[in-house]
């Protein structure tokens, strides 16, 4: 007689997922593979929003330095624009910047999820689009660490050194002066931020666990997502003259 016993599915309180995703991601993906992505996406957005608004002052010098460079570039390419129009543009970007920063968190997660689902098909992954969105939502939680680290840096670093958001990077971009380095080099260096690498690894783990594919194949799909994520910044830098 075949006496087969099945081990119970792993269970945990919903809030434990958002702690364990940082140190036991495989367990999170294994027990939530059939769950929807809406809850983690909402929690990601709320936590990000609270941190972005709460730490707005510490990010302000770096953010305003980037706006200043953008306005200077606009003026160079459009000399007919008046100083008053530039100031209005600056004020609008300052007001909308926080809103866009918060809104981009869930939007980026959804884009990453769709891209992961698409590239997953090339490596034989069987995850559904909803599961890919779930993986992307949980994999985006290291952005919370980035916001905390960036906010702390903004509080303790000398204001004159905060001449761009890249200075708050957790990677090689922090060592490039955005006032003198090419935009292309800053964008390329920013792709090696520890946060993005962490997210990429979590994407691969989630794809491996949910689709039951080898880690090597999952890393290929996640690596392609990382590569595609660089394209908007690279294209923007090239349009700006590198």
């Amino acid at each position: 007689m075949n006496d087969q016993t099945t081990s119970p599915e792993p269970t945990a309180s919903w809030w434990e997922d958002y702690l364990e995703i940082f140190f036991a991601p495989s367990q999170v993906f294994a027990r939530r593979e059939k769950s929807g992505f809406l809850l983690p996406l909402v929690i990601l957005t709320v936590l990000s929003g609270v941190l972005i608004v709460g730490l707005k002052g510490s990010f302000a010098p770096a953010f305003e330095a980037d706006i200043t460079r953008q306005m200077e570039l606009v003026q160079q390419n459009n000399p007919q624009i008046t100083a008053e129009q530039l100031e209005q543009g600056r004020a609008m970007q300052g007001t909308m910047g926080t809103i866009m920063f918060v809104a981009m968190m869930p939007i980026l997660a959804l884009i990453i999820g769709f891209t992961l689902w698409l590239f997953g098909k090339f490596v034989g992954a069987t995850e559904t689009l909803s599961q890919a969105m779930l993986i992307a939502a949980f994999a985006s939680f290291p952005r919370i660490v980035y916001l905390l680290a960036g906010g702390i840096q903004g509080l303790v670093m000398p204001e004159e050194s905060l001449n761009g958001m890249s200075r708050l990077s957790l990677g090689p971009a922090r060592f490039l002066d955005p006032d003198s380095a090419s935009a292309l080099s800053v964008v390329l260096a920013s792709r090696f931020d520890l946060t993005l690498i962490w997210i990429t690894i979590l994407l691969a783990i989630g794809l491996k666990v949910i689709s039951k594919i080898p880690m090597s194949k999952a890393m290929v799909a996640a690596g392609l997502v990382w590569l595609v994520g660089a394209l908007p910044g690279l294209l923007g830098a090239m349009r700006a003259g590198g």
Side-chain angles (χ1 to χ4, degrees):
M1 183 176 68
N2 292 330
D3 185 14
Q4 295 181 344
T5 59
T6 57
S7 58
E9 292 185 5
T11 58
S13 300
W14 66 269
W15 57 267
E16 292 181 72
D17 295 337
Y18 307 100
L19 296 177
E20 291 186 8
I21 193 61
F22 294 104
F23 61 86
S26 295
Q27 295 180 25
V28 175
F29 291 123
R31 67 175 173 253
R32 300 303 178 193
E33 63 176 314
K34 296 180 181 178
S35 302
F37 64 86
L38 186 58
L39 181 59
L41 192 67
V42 169
I43 291 176
L44 172 69
T45 305
V46 171
L47 290 177
S48 300
V50 170
L51 288 174
I52 290 169
V53 173
L55 297 171
K56 182 180 178 181
S58 62
F59 283 107
F63 184 66
E64 289 172 3
D66 282 339
I67 292 178
T68 297
R69 271 189 298 276
Q70 291 174 14
M71 292 297 101
E72 290 174 352
L73 184 61
V74 168
Q75 191 170 34
Q76 289 174 10
N77 295 332
N78 303 274
Q80 73 278 10
I81 294 180
T82 65
E84 183 179 355
Q85 289 173 322
L86 284 173
E87 192 56 37
Q88 289 175 351
R90 175 195 293 274
M92 183 176 296
Q93 285 203 36
T95 302
M96 296 298 295
T98 302
I99 298 173
M100 290 301 298
F101 207 173
V102 175
M104 282 306 295
M105 288 295 178
I107 292 172
L108 277 174
L110 292 175
I111 293 173
I112 290 171
F114 176 79
T115 311
L116 182 68
W117 172 77
L118 191 63
F119 286 125
K121 301 308 175 187
F122 289 101
V123 298
T126 58
E127 90 287 6
T128 65
L129 180 58
S130 178
Q131 287 175 322
M133 297 294 186
L134 173 76
I135 294 169
F138 275 117
S140 296
F141 271 81
R143 296 191 191 277
I144 302 295
V145 176
Y146 164 78
L147 290 173
L148 285 170
I152 293 171
Q153 290 180 85
L155 290 173
V156 301
M157 290 174 63
E159 187 170 328
E160 59 271 17
S161 68
L162 296 174
N163 60 337
M165 289 295 290
S166 61
R167 290 296 208 176
L168 301 175
S169 168
L170 299 178
R174 68 182 295 111
F175 302 110
L176 298 178
D177 186 347
D179 286 328
S180 57
S182 70
L184 196 59
S185 64
V186 172
V187 170
L188 283 172
S190 296
R191 294 306 297 173
F192 293 93
D193 185 284
L194 292 179
T195 305
L196 294 180
I197 294 172
W198 193 353
I199 290 171
T200 303
I201 293 172
L202 288 177
L203 290 175
I205 293 173
L207 198 61
K208 172 186 177 293
V209 170
I210 290 179
S211 289
K212 316 286 191 297
I213 62 173
M215 188 62 174
S216 57
K217 290 186 176 181
M219 281 301 300
V220 169
L224 289 171
V225 173
W226 176 88
L227 188 62
V228 168
L231 295 180
L234 293 175
L235 292 173
M238 287 188 288
R239 282 199 300 268

